[in-house]
Amino acid sequence: NPGITAIIYPAFFNDNFDAAPAQSYNRRQIGLTGLDGYDFVTSNDTGRIRTFINTGIAYSGNRALTLDAEIQNAGSVDSLTGTFNLTTFNSSTDDIRLDFRYKNHGQGNNAANKVWVRGDDTKNWVEAYNLFTSQNEVDGTYKYSGSIEISDLLFNALPSQTFNTSSQVRWGQYGVQMAADNDGGAGYTFDDIRLYKVTDDMQMISIDAPATASCALTAAATVTITVRNSSNTTVTNVPVRFRVDGGAFVPNEFIPSIAANSTAQFTFTTTADLSALGPHLVEARVAYGTDTYPDNDTLSLNMVNSPIITVTNSSPHLQNFESGNGFWYAGGKNNSWEYGTPASSKINRAASGSKAWKTRVAGNYNDMEKSYLYSPCYDISTVTAPTVSFSIALDIEDCGASVICDGAYVEYSSDGIIWTRLGATGQGTNWYNRNYSGNNMWSVQNYHRWHAASIPLPTGLNQLRLRFVVASDQTLNRDGVAIDDIHIYSNVNGIYDVTGASPVINQPVVNGLGWINFIETGTNKLVAAINPNGQNLGNTNVQSYVNTGGVRNTNGQYYHDRNITIKPTTVNLPDSASVRFYFLDTETEALINATGCGACYKPTNAYEIGVSKYSDPNDNFENGTIADNVQGNWQFINSTKAVKVPFDKGYYAEFKVKDFSEFWLNNGGFGNSLALPVQLINFTAKKIRSKDVLAEWSTASESNVNRFEIEVAKGNAGYQQNQFVKLGEIRSQGNSVQEQRYSFTDNEIGKISVRYYRLKIIDNDGNFTYSPIRPVVFDEEITWQVYPNPSTGIFNLSLQANTDELIKVKVYDLAGKTVQQHQLAANGFVQKLNVDLRESQFAAGLYLLEATVGEKKQTFRLIKQ
């Protein structure tokens, strides 16, 4: 390049390469066409330089310089060297800077991926910038190098160097693959190379306080900054100022002195009002009068002020997100975290209630995501054994034990600045499943049922912050991560985990308003806890029974391996007491995965579990076995009234009762409402003579049952609005431990559409439960449909057909080839079949979907975008 003397900022030298024609070299080239000051060197003929790949690659204009490999190879060392005549400048007195923009196409680590400078073409190279360690992730965006102080680099070199007519900058790259596009392959693209001289440059280096994740800030919050003097002389009285949330800047304050090429930290005497909870913007500026380079004078800090939640041994913290987002918030790159009701294809409910945090509540997480879900602040300084447990659902791309694709993990911080990964694979409960050379994380597909995860927390912190991290690559993504039921507490005891019958655990006094723990003394572990809610239960015994064989079932229901008995002196209370029934995740997993009884009901996750309660006039029959539970009374506490809370190696179920007895865990069978010795073995409703409906049911045993009322809801609208009306009733045949059979015929004339039948089972004392609902289709009330259409790959087929009719679905491409097949049994209800054409093997375009039920067939055109 000719002598470039007019580079005093802002009249800087800027090379954006747009004057050069499109060209490509894979051999040594002295002087590029139209860019005589640039030379290319490669260690073999697979290395390459190009000025044009395709439109949109350049940072500005339509030309940029790309270093890559022409073909995939074992590796070539490539470099681009620019020569500049800087003889009019002196490295000891003139502050000459270099900056540029560069894009990472997927470059791996290598010592060649750097930038060097030298005073002339005879001197040693001085490293100026590490391209690899500074590069953006592969996301198609440019990275700004920052203002590189090449004068200082040359002056401080050994031996010292100064500028000359052949001062040089060299950009290096290790070529293995070609740069295919913005974010594919490998290589670097460089654009907008700038050289300029600055004077008295004062740089705003950082805003040190408040922290990005702050706790309980006040109306008089401290603001601290760090400023650098990059000139070669000491400066004094450097003016600085700040403002909050776009308001007016506070009056200038002055840093007394900053030594040459040094930094100074400064705390403003003026404070900031950051007392409002939530996000704030803090901007700080240095305004030194003779500073000719303003680009680095201002910094902005997006921060959040969170409340401090105090946790003690006796006051744990539980956040289920039902009344709001809990002061949790999200950020990061390509962030997909959302608060709401999960509605993805696999993760489609909250653990408890209806609300949770999830990576996109109704879809998948993003490619190239590095996102964070931040907690509020917790004071756990007095907690003896601080522990965090929570509900989690996971569906993250897993590429195996040796290759990281996507993952999630948890970090903690005591100051909102330094973050440390919490726990490691093999620690805690359900804590991480992968360890990639110390990089511990969850990377697991299809673990989308809600389950508990637990890990100890660091002790003694008065401003603990947690954050969930999700990191993904540029390919396949899935439903992601969902979080619910954050529980922070003192875990001194943990859950009793010995099989068989436990010793009897006695508390001689059970009264008052607090929780009273029943702890087995040999293991120091929890079996149950009772809050009398101001009542007096008197002397109370608790015992645990843990099954050691296979998962058990009775009368159409599997039930949990663990049950307990609670026997107080005062059995019947005027008002409800609260109970916590502790059980392990491993036992629950065994229940969820139980096999051997195809017709038996079981939960699909822990949060569907309810409590069957058995009370016997003779306490001797409350003994941990179900076989002799005949003469007493059963009740069922459904899953919504038996709230599950993640704890230690599992959960506790918290519920209310007025009397005490034996407690079992199950999902309630038909309609999730029936205690374990369910009277109903089956209930069916089917068309007869094309116009009538025969309802039939049988019971395995009956105790205290008065009658069965048959109810119907007419049409889908009637069913959705719970408009059931009584058709008739059948009296019970009396208490029995033998099977009893019943039937009822609905011969009402003029049946149309769909009718939904159920039984109302009414006891002698007026209590009642419902059977499952059985639909009978006379003619389809809904129109079969596919939605959304067009779609990016997910299509939903909505239809309705009679119970046990077979639904067959085929998807064809335009060549008539079958690309997918599905079969499912109709259940009489409106059903949705998910057709997934997202995979890359299904090209965008037109497909045909054919749905067949019996004699009915319908075809739909699917358009994949």
Side-chain angles (χ1 to χ4, degrees), residues 489-555:
Y489 57 98
S490 177
N491 189 17
V492 174
N493 303 108
I495 299 173
Y496 181 72
D497 54 3
V498 180
T499 57
S502 76
V504 174
I505 304 160
N506 175 260
Q507 287 283 10
V509 179
V510 179
N511 58 27
L513 293 171
W515 286 99
I516 297 168
N517 292 325
F518 288 78
I519 298 170
E520 198 280 314
T521 56
T523 59
N524 200 34
K525 300 282 187 174
L526 279 161
V527 171
I530 299 174
N531 186 337
N533 294 329
Q535 302 170 99
N536 187 3
L537 279 67
N539 186 64
T540 302
N541 291 331
V542 168
Q543 195 168 9
S544 170
Y545 302 86
V546 180
N547 174 44
T548 57
V551 178
R552 303 161 292 182
N553 66 80
T554 183
N555 293 336

Side-chain angles (χ1 to χ4, degrees), residues 79-83 115-128 154 157 161 166-171:
S79 66
L80 167 71
T81 300
T83 303
V115 179
W116 297 265
V117 296
R118 59 182 178 180
D120 64 60
D121 57 5
T122 66
K123 298 295 192 297
N124 294 327
W125 288 105
V126 178
E127 184 177 327
L154 295 178
Q161 300 181 29
S166 59
S167 298
Q168 292 184 320
V169 180
R170 186 177 76 187
W171 292 265

